[in-house]
Amino acid sequence: MGANLLNTNPASLHIYEGITAASPQDVGLHPQQLGKLDVHFLSLIENGSIQSASYLIARNGKVAAWKSMGKLDGTADRGDLQPDSIRKLASITKTFTTVALMKLVEDGKLYLDQPVCTIIEELNNPTHQDITLYHLLTHTSGILPVGGYFNEPYPNPWWGTNGMEDWIRKVLQGPLYYRPGEAYNYSSAGFLLLGEIIQRVSGVPFESFVIENIIEPLQLERTFFDVPESLHGQVCVVDQWDVNLLKPQEDYAKLPPRSDSGLYSTLHDMWKFGQMLLNGGAWNSERILGRRTVELMTRRHLFGKPAYQWGGKLQDKPHALGFDIAADHMTSFETQGTFQLEGAGRSALFVDPTEQMVVVFFVPSVSSWVPLSVLGTKQIIWSSLM
């Protein structure tokens, strides 16, 4: 994708613009209000809250804003973040896993209330036998939450001293945190199990299934589980940990499927994925999912379920299948029914069916959570709707 340099802030940071199909005003976005987004990001970069920022906003199927600013690499001086720079999606990978699983459901090979123990023998015991695919998709299985979820000061790495050996038994160790269906309990381990289910039922590795059934049909040309070495210089990284993750592992066959946090992508590819869902499962002539499947996947499923939520102590956590969802009682600016997910690092995907809008952005930082980089960003964008 091309990018034009806009010298709107020559004294400090450059702003780069990707190729758009419409102006903000053409698609009903107030240009002056939306223009505050660049000032917002530049301020966060200059005060050190985030390393860089990029965003793409599309409405009615047309990209109306696509910009980037700040540093590409937090470990070395090697250029600026570009509109088409690659970034690790972290937990947004879970949305691809959800779509992959729902394809198998559409094919009649799985059903959502199916006990996981019918596929993975290790769960065939009194503690885990009632956990279903639905519980894994909604983070209500009660199994191991992601480290730090309860704000514990010393999160326990579940892989232990022998690495990922016998990883399924490791994520099932100990009692359940909640009974299945009782509470929302954010579990990346649960999505590892979903990836395992996908590869056992499909007969191909999880990564291959996603590539063949989602990435290739959508022509996501800069979306990878393994970024080619020739493109490593185009990947946004914030620290040495990010750099190390780009190196291929010696033997993926011994590791869990990369179904919780394995993908790298770009804003434009993420938009195509989100637009496919907004279109009811289709992109151009390619149909990835059926319309009714997308409706089932992206509507609210959890009501009255509590969630500790990193200290939030929610009494009613809304959730779809594999996606968070904006509910009417929330204070966020997104339209009710907007389905979304964020990834550590930080990346974000929002799909608003009411406003026919897809929003994606990267706000990389060494800090795990910079509220204004996400909350302030959403407030500016949704308040620009005319």
Side-chain angles (χ1 to χ4, degrees):
M1 297 297 169
N4 300 317
L5 178 62
L6 302 180
N7 289 314
T8 56
N9 192 33
S12 54
L13 294 168
H14 290 303
I15 299 176
Y16 299 83
E17 183 172 19
I19 297 172
T20 58
S23 70
Q25 193 163 3
D26 288 340
V27 298
L29 295 169
H30 195 282
Q32 283 74 35
Q33 176 62 19
L34 192 62
K36 296 176 182 177
L37 201 52
D38 295 341
V39 178
H40 172 68
F41 283 139
L42 290 171
S43 175
L44 291 173
I45 294 168
E46 289 175 342
N47 70 25
S49 296
I50 60 176
Q51 173 180 301
S52 50
S54 60
Y55 63 92
L56 184 153
I57 302 169
R59 198 175 185 208
N60 302 324
K62 296 180 179 179
V63 176
W66 184 13
K67 297 183 181 181
S68 66
M69 61 208 78
K71 294 175 61 178
L72 178 70
D73 190 338
T75 70
D77 185 11
R78 63 174 182 95
D80 297 335
L81 183 69
Q82 300 295 317
D84 63 346
S85 291
I86 300 166
R87 177 68 177 149
K88 187 171 176 62
L89 297 185
S91 283
I92 295 178
T93 303
K94 294 179 174 69
T95 64
F96 284 74
T97 301
T98 302
V99 170
L101 187 90
M102 295 305 290
K103 286 187 70 64
L104 294 174
V105 171
E106 278 192 339
D107 292 345
K109 296 180 179 180
L110 294 169
Y111 57 97
L112 292 178
D113 290 329
Q114 184 169 352
V116 179
C117 66
T118 62
I119 306 165
I120 301 178
E121 175 63 24
E122 287 87 344
L123 281 83
N124 190 15
N125 59 71
T127 299
H128 303 103
Q129 64 187 9
D130 294 330
I131 295 173
T132 65
L133 302 184
Y134 178 86
H135 292 139
L136 296 180
L137 285 167
T138 56
H139 297 281
T140 57
S141 68
I143 67 172
L144 183 75
V146 67
Y149 178 72
F150 291 107
N151 287 345
E152 66 271 25
Y154 311 111
N156 183 29
W158 57 263
W159 52 89
T161 56
N162 295 320
M164 297 294 182
E165 181 182 334
D166 205 11
W167 69 269
I168 294 175
R169 290 182 182 273
K170 287 181 178 178
V171 301
L172 299 176
Q173 286 176 346
L176 296 178
Y177 284 74
Y178 301 100
R179 293 192 301 274
E182 183 178 61
Y184 177 94
N185 182 52
Y186 187 80
S187 176
S188 287
F191 269 77
L192 294 180
L193 292 174
L194 288 172
E196 181 70 18
I197 290 166
I198 289 166
Q199 57 190 23
R200 291 192 186 191
V201 173
S202 69
V204 299
F206 164 79
E207 293 83 358
S208 298
F209 188 87
V210 171
I211 291 168
E212 293 167 8
N213 290 278
I214 302 174
I215 293 175
E216 289 181 347
L218 289 178
Q219 297 181 348
L220 305 183
E221 296 176 353
R222 289 169 68 81
T223 299
F224 313 98
F225 285 100
D226 298 297
V227 180
E229 189 172 355
S230 62
L231 295 179
H232 283 191
Q234 299 179 35
V235 179
C236 176
V237 295
V238 299
D239 55 20
Q240 191 59 43
W241 175 262
D242 273 355
V243 174
N244 293 341
L245 286 175
L246 286 170
K247 301 174 184 177
Q249 299 291 321
E250 291 184 3
D251 188 356
Y252 281 117
K254 297 180 180 179
L255 300 176
R258 287 172 278 177
S259 46
D260 66 326
S261 182
L263 278 173
Y264 291 80
S265 191
T266 64
L267 296 177
H268 196 267
D269 277 5
M270 287 175 65
W271 163 61
K272 289 171 70 174
F273 177 76
Q275 190 69 46
M276 174 272 294
L277 295 172
L278 190 58
N279 293 346
W283 171 263
N284 294 334
S285 61
E286 292 290 342
R287 176 158 291 279
I288 306 302
L289 289 174
R291 175 178 60 84
R292 293 301 298 271
T293 305
V294 175
E295 290 173 356
L296 172 65
M297 188 174 67
T298 59
R299 72 171 184 244
R300 183 175 179 179
H301 281 267
L302 296 188
F303 295 87
K305 301 297 182 185
Y308 188 83
Q309 194 78 352
W310 292 276
K313 300 180 181 178
L314 305 180
Q315 295 304 308
D316 184 13
K317 166 66 177 177
H319 201 68
L321 297 180
F323 289 88
D324 278 325
I325 192 163
D328 57 358
H329 68 285
M330 298 173 68
T331 58
S332 56
F333 265 58
E334 309 96 285
T335 312
Q336 181 180 351
T338 296
F339 53 96
Q340 58 202 58
L341 205 64
E342 297 171 29
R346 168 112 7 206
S347 53
L349 166 66
F350 299 85
V351 181
D352 184 338
T354 300
E355 298 292 348
Q356 286 292 294
M357 187 163 69
V358 178
V359 173
V360 289
F361 57 84
F362 298 149
V363 281
S365 172
V366 293
S367 301
S368 60
W369 173 239
V370 180
L372 285 179
S373 72
V374 176
L375 303 180
T377 299
K378 294 189 295 182
Q379 289 160 199
I380 292 172
I381 294 171
W382 265 266
S383 63
S384 72
L385 287 162
M386 294 193 292

